Amino acid sequence: MNESQRKTLDEALETLPLVAILRGITPEEVEGVCDALIGAGFRLIEIPLNSPRPWESIERAVAHCPDSVLIGAGTVLDVADAEHLARLGAPLMVTPNSDPGVVRAGARQGLAPLIGCMTPSEALAAARAGARALKLFPAAQLGTGYFKAISAILPPDLPVLAVGGVERGNMAEWHGVGVRGFGFGSNLYKPGRSAAEVAAVATELVAEWRRLEKARREPAS
């Protein structure tokens, strides 16, 4: 990850920490869907490696998207995938679990590891290995009470994103307990959904995040 990408990541995590998870996308549709997301304001786009021809989709997305948008892979499970991702210039490395070896490999390659965790042990292991952010998964099944209970022992400067079952209707509940961002999967994109439909959902999600942040900064008197 070069300095420009690092700055983009820092700004995205600070101002609009929303990750679009394009599980199942094909190379033929990736550019149109990326344009829809970018138009709505998304700056972090993940293409899971269990999608059809994922490396081709990632390569196309990297070439197509502006420098202000970061592309990466999800469901990264081994060191070889981290190395491949670095060669493509796609800095986001998103995992479903907290394998310290994979986290360290991503950090060594200059990637930004966004690491899946559920328990405090997993979260702290990921932090020690070099995670750039944590992904609480599956968020909906764990619930906001669980996050609130474990957040006291998590590194305060390490953002936690809620992923799994999060949609516009429950963003406020998670935001209220201190979650610093979200990853959106099938409620945002699923195979067969058009770029126009993705744009509509993405616009609503961005608007809701901005509404929540405005309310946080300007509490009612």
Side-chain angles (χ1 to χ4, degrees), residues 152-177:
I153 58 89
L154 299 179
D157 57 344
L158 193 61
V160 178
L161 281 61
V163 182
V166 179
E167 55 187 11
R168 186 182 64 167
N170 60 6
M171 286 172 66
E173 182 182 2
W174 284 98
H175 187 272
V177 295

Side-chain angles (χ1 to χ4, degrees), residues 202-216:
T203 298
E204 292 177 350
L205 294 172
V206 169
E208 177 65 358
W209 173 262
R210 288 175 172 157
R211 183 189 72 80
L212 293 170
E213 281 291 280
K214 182 179 180 181
R216 179 182 65 83

Side-chain angles (χ1 to χ4, degrees), residues 50-125:
N50 55 0
S51 302
R53 293 147 56 207
W55 295 115
E56 184 180 346
S57 290
I58 292 169
E59 192 168 7
R60 286 195 185 194
V62 169
H64 180 74
C65 293
D67 292 341
S68 59
V69 175
L70 300 183
I71 306 297
T75 321
V76 176
L77 298 174
D78 57 49
V79 171
D81 288 338
E83 293 171 346
H84 192 171
L85 196 58
R87 288 195 296 273
L88 292 180
L92 297 183
M93 186 189 83
V94 188
T95 75
N97 62 338
S98 54
D99 181 332
V102 174
V103 182
R104 285 193 293 268
R108 266 197 320 271
Q109 294 292 329
L111 302 174
L114 277 60
I115 304 304
C117 63
M118 184 172 70
T119 68
S121 294
E122 293 171 346
L124 293 172

